[in-house]
Amino acid sequence: MRATFVIDQKGIVRHQVVNDEPLGRNMDDVVRVVEALQFFETHGQVCPAGWQKGDAGMVNTPDGVAAYLSAHGDQL
């Protein structure tokens, strides 16, 4: 088995992936996950699907999601 864990500053596991031996991991995605966690810790906003460093985040409320989708729905 191969595993990757992303643990926040408080010691909480925020992301984990376990692959069977024949399956490799994607380190670019691990970096993206770490950057998303850092974005959340800095800005308090969550990262929507497909988020990349430099993209907008969104507030995790019904109004925040609606505002994000209104502004970025054409890009999804």
Side-chain angles (χ1 to χ4, degrees), residues 41-56:
E41 290 173 341
T42 301
H43 301 286
Q45 295 182 340
V46 298
C47 299
W51 182 90
Q52 295 290 322
K53 187 174 183 178
D55 290 351

Side-chain angles (χ1 to χ4, degrees), residues 23-39:
L23 304 175
R25 291 166 285 181
N26 182 334
M27 293 311 293
D28 291 334
D29 195 52
V30 173
V31 170
R32 184 193 67 81
V33 168
V34 170
E35 290 171 343
L37 179 57
Q38 291 171 337
F39 178 87

Side-chain angles (χ1 to χ4, degrees), residues 1-7 13-34:
M1 302 300 251
R2 300 174 188 204
T4 304
F5 299 90
V6 175
I7 302 170
V13 175
R14 294 298 193 144
H15 177 77
Q16 62 185 3
V17 176
V18 179
N19 294 346
D20 194 14
E21 193 171 316
L23 304 175
R25 291 166 285 181
N26 182 334
M27 293 311 293
D28 291 334
D29 195 52
V30 173
V31 170
R32 184 193 67 81
V33 168
V34 170

